[in-house]
Amino acid sequence: MVSWIMVVHVVACIWHAVSLLNADEPNSWFGVYSSAYINDVAKMSNFDRYVTCCYWAMTTMSTIGYGDIIPITSAEKLLVIFT
């Protein structure tokens, strides 16, 4: 269980880092998630963004994948393939 939590943490941090690199692109998950939901990701606190990234990592790694946070850019898609 501890290993799973550590892997989720690492993948979530990588997902956030990749997203920050593409933050100026309106078609990254930041932009799509902000427009689909009232939350503006750029205005979220660091803790809220971390929880959102952990949520994405957990649903992706468990193959549930609700589809509310989706990879849009090539870098995001490559991370999903790797994950």
Side-chain angles (χ1 to χ4, degrees), residues 1 3 11 14 21 25 37 44 46-47 50 57 63 66 77:
M1 187 63 141
S3 298
V11 170
I14 294 171
L21 293 174
E25 188 170 329
Y37 302 95
M44 292 171 77
N46 287 336
F47 178 75
Y50 176 73
T63 69
Y66 292 119
K77 290 177 184 177

Side-chain angles (χ1 to χ4, degrees), residues 19-72:
S19 300
L20 286 178
L21 293 174
N22 295 319
D24 57 341
E25 188 170 329
N27 289 332
S28 69
W29 82 266
F30 271 12
V32 173
Y33 189 75
S34 292
S35 64
Y37 302 95
I38 305 304
N39 303 337
D40 185 5
V41 178
K43 294 180 182 175
M44 292 171 77
S45 69
N46 287 336
F47 178 75
D48 287 338
R49 274 195 272 175
Y50 176 73
V51 170
T52 302
C53 290
C54 285
Y55 163 77
W56 171 85
M58 184 70 76
T59 58
T60 299
M61 291 171 48
S62 65
T63 69
I64 294 172
Y66 292 119
D68 51 348
I69 302 173
I70 57 173
I72 305 292

